[in-house]
Amino acid sequence: MNKGLFITFEGADGCGKTTQLMLLAKYLKQHGYEVLVTREPGAKGLGERLRDILLNYDGEVSSKAELFLFLADRAQHMDVIIKPAVAAGKIVLCDRHTDSTVAYQGYGRGLDIERIKTLNSIATGGRKPDLTFVFDIDIETSMQRVGSQKDRMESSGMEFFNKVRNGYLAIARQEPERVKVFDATKAIEDIRIDVLETLRMFVAKM
Ligand code: TYD
């Protein structure tokens, strides 16, 4: 594997994707790969400011404004951080990306999904993740894990999160080659093994 790779980690809040991302990063680094760990919203620089608005601003934010803030963050992230890293041969592990916008702003908030896909494509210059891991969790478990300290997005309610979850499952059905779903209620170590196996199979086919 000397070509760069772009892998995204997705799922509803509290699904454990960040834990799995860190475990995979550790494994890959131990095996000599150059890895870049990053996230949306809010990679380094401008992204940190946008993240603060998206998660902490307590005034009214329209759904459309929210969408464009996520997309602004994505455009910057793609151009300044992700594309150069992949071009340099790194394995980029990104916590949330385009599918979050389809799931949260599209399926969750009810904005037009086809339009979001077009806007995503403008923001990324058409570069899709090579592989996407979705960690599927029931909403009750998710809420228990998130606890009482919720940010602006996490305060959107149960109905919203059910829509987000179903959105992710719909995305996976539409793009089964790219998007792989894991049962996030399983033990961390079991999920880690499943993730690794999926990555191995993907790399073998490259
Ligand atoms: P974060 O604290 O990073 O949560 P998590 O650990 O669950 O990833 O918060 C990101 C929040 O932003 C999360 O609730 C999902 C939401 N989000 C969107 O609604 N649309 C997007 O395009 C992205 C990238 C995130």
Side-chain angles (χ1 to χ4, degrees):
M1 214 171 17
N2 44 22
K3 275 203 314 193
L5 257 188
F6 175 31
I7 305 175
T8 57
F9 289 65
E10 297 277 2
D13 298 77
C15 68
K17 64 188 164 41
T18 310
T19 303
Q20 291 299 330
L21 187 155
M22 292 305 180
L23 288 170
L24 183 61
K26 188 173 163 202
Y27 175 91
L28 291 169
K29 284 180 191 164
Q30 279 169 348
H31 288 76
Y33 294 103
E34 266 206 89
V35 178
L36 175 77
V37 170
T38 187
R39 69 169 179 191
E40 288 190 13
K44 275 191 296 188
L46 174 63
E48 284 166 322
R49 294 269 190 103
L50 292 169
R51 180 181 173 89
D52 186 38
I53 299 173
L54 278 161
L55 300 187
N56 302 321
Y57 179 69
D58 59 6
E60 189 182 342
V61 182
S62 83
S63 295
K64 229 190 295 171
E66 179 184 275
L67 170 66
F68 278 99
L69 285 165
F70 279 117
L71 290 166
D73 175 60
R74 179 154 312 131
Q76 171 82 5
H77 190 203
M78 215 49 207
D79 290 344
V80 176
I81 297 177
I82 297 176
K83 280 185 185 165
V86 176
K90 293 187 184 167
I91 301 179
V92 175
L93 304 182
C94 184
D95 199 337
R96 297 194 181 282
H97 196 251
T98 40
D99 299 310
S100 283
T101 321
V102 176
Y104 281 77
Q105 280 64 52
Y107 287 92
R109 300 259 193 250
L111 297 178
D112 186 277
I113 288 164
E114 287 313 309
R115 265 200 217 162
I116 290 181
K117 288 184 182 171
T118 305
L119 291 168
N120 261 338
S121 169
I122 294 170
T124 60
R127 176 64 160 98
K128 282 193 167 189
D130 298 305
L131 194 56
T132 295
F133 301 139
V134 168
F135 298 90
D136 180 50
I137 192 163
D138 61 276
I139 300 309
E140 288 74 19
T141 315
S142 148
M143 287 294 133
Q144 275 167 18
R145 289 189 188 170
V146 168
S148 56
Q149 293 276 26
K150 296 184 176 57
D151 64 34
R152 196 181 66 80
M153 294 302 299
E154 286 162 352
S155 306
S156 302
M158 296 278 263
E159 196 193 335
F160 177 75
F161 281 96
N162 273 318
K163 290 183 189 166
V164 169
R165 178 191 190 190
N166 290 330
Y168 275 121
L169 296 176
I171 295 168
R173 281 193 300 275
Q174 288 155 17
E175 291 185 74
E177 284 299 307
R178 173 178 70 86
V179 183
K180 310 294 180 192
V181 180
F182 300 89
D183 177 356
T185 61
K186 283 167 69 172
I188 291 175
E189 179 58 13
D190 292 342
I191 305 171
R192 187 185 81 86
I193 291 167
D194 292 348
V195 166
L196 214 48
E197 186 52 29
T198 304
L199 179 59
R200 275 206 194 97
M201 286 191 316
F202 176 82
V203 171
K205 279 200 270 170
M206 272 172 74

